[in-house]
Amino acid sequence: MPAISRTIRARIPTESGEFHLFHYTNTSDRKEHLAVVMGDVAGKAKTLVRVHSECFTGDVLGSLRCDCGEQLTQSMQLIAAEGSGVLIYLRQEGRGIGLEAKLQAYNLQDEGYDTVEANLLLGHQADEREYWAAAGILADLDIPSIRLMTNNPAKIEHLEALGITVTDRVPLLPSINAENAFYLDTKIKRMRHMLDLPPTRNGDLANHAPARHSSIQVPTAGHAEQIARISRLAAAYFQQESRPFITLSYAQSLDGSIARTAGAPTVISGAASLRLTHRLRAAHDAVLVGVGTVLADDPRLDVRLADGPNPAAIVLDTHLRTPPDARLFERHQQVWIVTAGADSANAQALSERGARLLVTPVGEDGRPDLSIALARLGAEGVKSIMVEGGAEVIHAFLIRDLACFAAITVAPRFLGGLPAVTACPTAVCLPELSDVVYTQADRDLMVWGALPRGNQQA
Ligand SMILES: NC(=O)c1ccc[n+]([C@@H]2O[C@H](COP(=O)([O-])OP(=O)(O)OC[C@H]3O[C@@H](n4cnc5c(N)ncnc54)[C@H](OP(=O)(O)O)[C@@H]3O)[C@@H](O)[C@H]2O)c1
């Protein structure tokens, strides 16, 4: 755990009463974590404590989008009423994603995503906060146990895991307005917050929520059927072929683009499609992307928005350009890197990160021979792979007729960007789907169908 040390303290008279502000430095970041202390708390069991994460918009501007400012004021008032206590102020804006990303997330929320979905769409976790600084400050103040002012069970769990004794939880009651109603509802439903919200004056909570994409009726039953269909086909295919069943799955715009430009991530599909993608991942043994996608998007490729296990991750990477600090290493027990040679300077670092290098002879294009790679992965027991892209990889699987099934999201927008498939020589005939089923995921269309290689069992 990083070390944290007190530099200085000063008296701060406030409307709620007189506090002392303690300033800290630490060995992990350059942030000024703070403690606002009232009374003599050293050695005091069950000290009233708030561990508050910085929220510029709520704390300083009084934004109505969240309840942070209110929680800050309430905590200081409760401490003042008791005559002693501590408000720990951690500099981790926007649940740890920073102010810039929080503002991007606000814009996504204005498009209809909830706070969790918005963070995930931006490639962050729903909550990236850490509490080691709080634990260090409590130790510095010599506080043996705390009564924690919070509605967030995860915060209690984090602090307890750091050795803090939390004897009681003191709830903080927010007031509800049209701007924060949906946010508070999301906190309850998706982040386990312990809030018992009263109905508001103008009706129930839902009436206060802004219009959202999910208000459109979604026939989700078809999705379960299609996922079951893939699982059935995959099991039969692997039994017969001893190689993994390949599901090609990506999101495209109406004009067939999968990104605005190569090398940059673009949010194409909606939140419901994203959840579906996670369900699909959970139904496969592995998820595969090209190194171009790893470098552009740094994707996690895990299952966060659905129930189910994380699949293994596979990266096609001829020259071992995958960064050892890529986020996919954080979440996958097994990461395969299909490569042409293991003599790059990066090989050692990737192996130390836990990657297994699958060295494969190269084909005419100078890249790992996909057919051989798939046979090897089959021999390792990988029965099904969801190929998520990017463009070069989608093209490579289609042109070689290696995919068995397609599950493609079509979002109702134009991008004019990177096409999923580039122009092929006229002699090459790209496959057509059979037994096609269309479903809807909020505003997106899902196209499901067997490809010739996989449809013999359809
Ligand atoms: N909309 C979606 O669903 C979706 C999904 C994924 C990605 N994307 C987007 O797609 C873009 C990335 O696409 P991309 O075409 O640049 O990269 P990519 O398809 O992810 O990766 C291509 C790279 O993979 C490596 N590779 C190794 N073996 C290969 C093989 N046999 N066949 C093909 N490639 C092989 C090659 O690099 P080396 O020669 O160095 O090995 C190649 O340059 C990003 O902008 C990303 O946001 C969109």
Side-chain angles (χ1 to χ4, degrees), residues 48 88 101:
L48 187 60
I88 295 175

Side-chain angles (χ1 to χ4, degrees), residues 249-252 257-259 261-266 268 289-294 296-297 316-319 321 338 365 367-370 388-394 396 400 418:
S249 186
Y250 56 86
Q252 67 162 56
S257 304
I258 63 161
T261 52
T266 312
I268 294 181
V289 292
V291 68
T293 296
V294 175
D297 301 2
L316 297 184
D317 182 4
T318 319
H319 308 291
R321 292 187 289 145
V338 178
D365 59 357
R367 287 172 170 162
D369 185 309
L370 289 179
E388 289 201 30
E392 290 205 45
V393 165
I394 294 166
R400 288 173 182 75
L418 177 69

